[in-house]
Amino acid sequence: MEAPENESFRDSIGTIDQEGKRAWVYPKKPSGNYYKKRKIVSYLLLTFLFAAPFIKINGNQFLMFNILERRFNIFGFPFWPQDFHLVVVSMIIGVIFVALFTVGFGRIFCGWICPQTIFMEMVFRRIEYWIDGDRNKQRKLDRQKWNAEKIRKRTIKWFVFLIISFAIANVFLAYFIGSDKLLKYIIDGPFQHLGTLFPLIIFTAVFYFVFAWFREQVCIIACPYGRLQGVLLDNKSIIVAYDHKRGEGKSGRKKFRKNEDRKELGHGDCIDCLQCVHVCPTNIDIRNGTQLECVNCTACIDECDHIMESINLPKGLIRYASENEIEKNEKFKVTARMKGYIAVLTILIGVLSGMLLLRNDVEARILRLPGQLYEHKEGNIISNVFTYKLVNKTTEPIENVSFKLRKYKGEIKLVSTSDNFNVPEQGLAEGTLFIEIDRSDLKGDKNKLIIEVYSGSELVETTTVRFLGPRSYN
Ligand code: SF4
Ligand code: SF4
């Protein structure tokens, strides 16, 4: 986009003043078509965000990220530490998807989907408008002395913020420890589970700090995704953009005067009313072009559309457009870079789907005991000792588990349990086993054995091990 003559705005960020202090932002309450649509999207996403840890599919929590126990559920599929490669592939797919989206549609994710924006703009900010009033009233209240009105409004606002932060912290915890545990802890009472109460208080404090004070600084200073836009965006990406050709005209933007022929005078359509700046939650002037602070929230589009309507000019002076669309009237098209991302994404999704299809609900790992070779036993028998670990990823127990050898006639003896055993739901069973084979059946000093794991008469998993025997039996 054509660079504005004065680039000094790039030397600082919109929320820090000349002395380096925080410039508190009092954005005007947005209204308009995009805001209405964003509200619908936001409330749907909020409902999803609050409900997801409490929805279960086949007994599995819909979304869970239990880092401590290293158990993850994604869309109701349980993932164990053994499935870590699947989590890594899913994360790579997520990153490429966001990159593709950013190349094509800028920071649309920040404005419409990011939980930080949704909570800030659609929950906390709306409560603030409701208690403190719109921009001017908020500024006045901030400047005024601590009288009864200010104390009352601040107390109510901060208390409501605290309650909401506490609610968010509880849901956040449900994602980590599981909703069943959370509900149990609530019923038992917080003091029965001090180990969980402590992180809950910390989460509440962090959310309160972010939404009551730190606010848009998260997007500007802390979020790495915002920083990436400089690398990902190009002049074909769709962003929230000011049409400077139309807005500046031949002789630049000018204040509106009734009965004046702006075209004739060469004035642009921008009447320099600053409403797009006043409504901006990151306190920037979009007329300066793309800036790292812009979260593509569309509030300035709505605000400028209201102004254009009121002075009988076409809407869309600020709109979703690429730099090339504004400069060269070039329509959006899928670029070679985007095609590259789509190709990689398609391959990775194919790989992930294959991995998910091949993934077993039961995983058996049988390893020879380190440092042990083989043992001769009475009756021409060779014995090897192994350890086994069976992981049950389902929500049903696996009952009557037994091991059998495929092809070989030998026996498998469990050390701890002489009979069949069970593996609990979403749990594991470990132990030691001996495999005993008549030495005349062995084909060499290293024999590949296939071990079948049965639940009753149903084969649930197969795995291979190396069985050692004496060299002379080749
Ligand atoms: S709201 Fe529109 S007309 Fe007003 S200053 Fe911004 S771009 Fe110009
Ligand atoms: S410039 Fe417009 S789209 Fe960007 S953050 Fe400000 S109001 Fe939102």
Side-chain angles (χ1 to χ4, degrees):
M1 191 159 287
E2 199 173 83
E5 278 162 26
N6 182 1
E7 289 265 356
S8 60
F9 68 91
R10 297 216 187 269
D11 301 338
S12 61
I13 53 175
T15 51
I16 305 287
D17 67 16
Q18 298 289 333
E19 280 116 47
K21 288 196 194 124
R22 171 86 179 270
W24 195 262
V25 187
Y26 307 90
K28 185 171 182 255
K29 189 176 177 187
S31 64
N33 283 337
Y34 277 113
Y35 191 59
K36 271 188 211 151
K37 284 176 194 154
R38 276 179 61 220
K39 269 203 284 192
I40 295 170
V41 173
S42 299
Y43 294 132
L44 285 175
L45 286 174
L46 279 174
T47 310
F48 174 76
L49 215 69
F50 275 85
F54 300 95
I55 298 172
K56 294 211 170 158
I57 291 182
N58 294 330
N60 296 317
Q61 189 168 313
F62 190 65
L63 285 177
M64 186 176 77
F65 308 95
N66 192 335
I67 296 166
L68 289 180
E69 291 175 17
R70 292 185 295 158
R71 280 171 49 200
F72 304 90
N73 288 356
I74 299 173
F75 302 131
F77 284 104
F79 292 90
W80 283 70
Q82 290 81 355
D83 299 317
F84 189 66
H85 57 292
L86 296 175
V87 177
V88 172
V89 177
S90 309
M91 281 164 71
I92 296 172
I93 289 176
V95 170
I96 295 177
F97 183 75
V98 171
L100 169 68
F101 223 71
T102 312
V103 170
F105 305 103
R107 286 177 79 176
I108 203 164
F109 170 84
C110 301
W112 291 76
I113 297 168
C114 176
Q116 162 70 22
T117 312
I118 290 179
F119 276 115
M120 187 65 245
E121 301 306 321
M122 296 297 170
V123 180
F124 288 87
R125 193 88 74 189
R126 281 172 68 80
I127 290 167
E128 198 160 69
Y129 291 132
W130 170 58
I131 296 171
D132 290 352
D134 208 344
R135 174 182 159 83
N136 291 337
K137 284 192 179 156
Q138 285 183 21
R139 284 159 69 95
K140 190 174 156 236
L141 189 70
D142 239 8
R143 280 196 299 262
Q144 85 188 31
K145 288 210 174 96
W146 281 93
N147 57 11
E149 185 205 9
K150 187 163 175 172
I151 292 171
R152 178 174 51 82
K153 285 188 170 173
R154 285 287 185 265
T155 311
I156 295 173
K157 187 171 85 173
W158 290 340
F159 180 69
V160 176
F161 280 7
L162 191 65
I163 296 290
I164 297 173
S165 301
F166 180 70
I168 300 172
N170 272 277
V171 176
F172 194 63
L173 207 59
Y175 278 99
F176 285 101
I177 63 169
S179 53
D180 289 345
K181 254 190 199 166
L182 179 81
L183 293 174
K184 181 183 179 308
Y185 291 177
I186 292 172
I187 292 165
D188 290 353
F191 296 107
Q192 301 290 318
H193 303 279
L194 288 176
T196 310
L197 182 63
F198 187 59
L200 184 67
I201 292 169
I202 292 182
F203 289 154
T204 306
V206 170
F207 287 125
Y208 184 80
F209 167 76
V210 165
F211 294 115
W213 192 80
F214 204 51
R215 303 188 154 200
E216 68 290 333
Q217 305 297 309
V218 172
C219 314
I220 299 172
I221 298 169
C223 176
Y225 176 59
R227 304 269 148 175
L228 270 182
Q229 68 165 330
V231 187
L232 294 172
L233 295 185
D234 60 24
N235 48 10
K236 295 183 187 92
S237 312
I238 303 274
I239 46 168
V240 173
Y242 167 67
D243 186 340
H244 62 92
K245 278 176 129 180
R246 190 185 138 195
E248 303 300 309
K250 283 192 198 117
S251 62
R253 58 185 84 142
K254 278 278 168 331
K255 292 276 179 213
F256 179 71
R257 284 215 186 97
K258 252 189 170 175
N259 304 325
E260 185 180 63
D261 190 342
R262 294 179 71 89
K263 248 195 190 139
E264 183 73 26
L265 293 164
H267 299 337
D269 281 357
C270 174
I271 60 166
D272 210 13
C273 63
L274 292 179
Q275 292 308 304
C276 54
V277 182
H278 292 163
V279 82
C280 178
T282 59
N283 204 26
I284 56 165
D285 187 342
I286 189 66
R287 295 172 302 168
N288 289 328
T290 317
Q291 291 148 80
L292 83 90
E293 294 98 323
C294 177
V295 290
N296 276 217
C297 74
T298 68
C300 54
I301 300 185
D302 278 335
E303 205 57 30
C304 190
D305 279 351
H306 291 318
I307 301 294
M308 291 296 110
E309 260 178 336
S310 68
I311 57 171
N312 279 326
L313 284 174
K315 294 198 278 190
L317 179 57
I318 302 174
R319 62 179 184 274
Y320 274 124
S322 68
E323 292 184 9
N324 278 3
E325 186 190 328
I326 288 171
E327 289 288 345
K328 307 175 197 163
N329 213 12
E330 189 181 287
K331 289 287 162 208
F332 174 76
K333 47 181 188 238
V334 179
T335 60
R337 193 171 167 205
M338 289 172 75
K339 282 178 191 159
Y341 281 124
I342 291 170
V344 176
L345 207 54
T346 313
I347 293 168
L348 282 176
I349 289 173
V351 170
L352 183 67
S353 311
M355 284 171 152
L356 284 171
L357 283 174
L358 293 173
R359 175 179 174 265
N360 234 338
D361 281 344
V362 181
E363 193 160 311
R365 196 164 282 189
I366 302 180
L367 300 169
R368 229 152 35 74
L369 205 62
Q372 297 282 324
L373 290 173
Y374 57 88
E375 195 187 333
H376 283 276
K377 293 189 118 180
E378 264 180 43
N380 220 17
I381 296 293
I382 303 295
S383 167
N384 280 197
V385 60
F386 295 85
T387 58
Y388 69 85
K389 189 188 244 185
L390 286 183
V391 178
N392 176 5
K393 300 173 188 173
T394 69
T395 50
E396 300 289 327
I398 302 175
E399 289 167 343
N400 266 330
V401 178
S402 60
F403 298 102
K404 281 183 189 140
L405 284 177
R406 191 185 282 174
K407 286 187 193 159
Y408 282 86
K409 277 185 258 141
E411 242 188 284
I412 297 181
K413 286 183 180 165
L414 297 174
V415 173
S416 48
T417 49
S418 53
D419 230 325
N420 297 356
F421 62 94
N422 299 339
V423 188
E425 68 270 21
Q426 304 231 345
L428 57 87
E430 296 178 275
T432 308
L433 55 84
F434 287 96
I435 298 180
E436 296 182 346
I437 297 178
D438 192 301
R439 65 196 218 185
S440 60
D441 288 333
L442 297 174
K443 293 186 186 77
D445 57 342
K446 282 182 192 147
N447 298 267
K448 189 175 154 194
L449 304 184
I450 299 171
I451 298 178
E452 296 174 333
V453 184
Y454 283 86
S455 166
S457 56
E458 187 195 347
L459 177 68
V460 289
E461 168 74 317
T462 51
T463 186
T464 54
V465 293
R466 292 243 165 239
F467 187 90
L468 301 184
R471 211 175 266 276
S472 55
Y473 287 96
N474 280 339

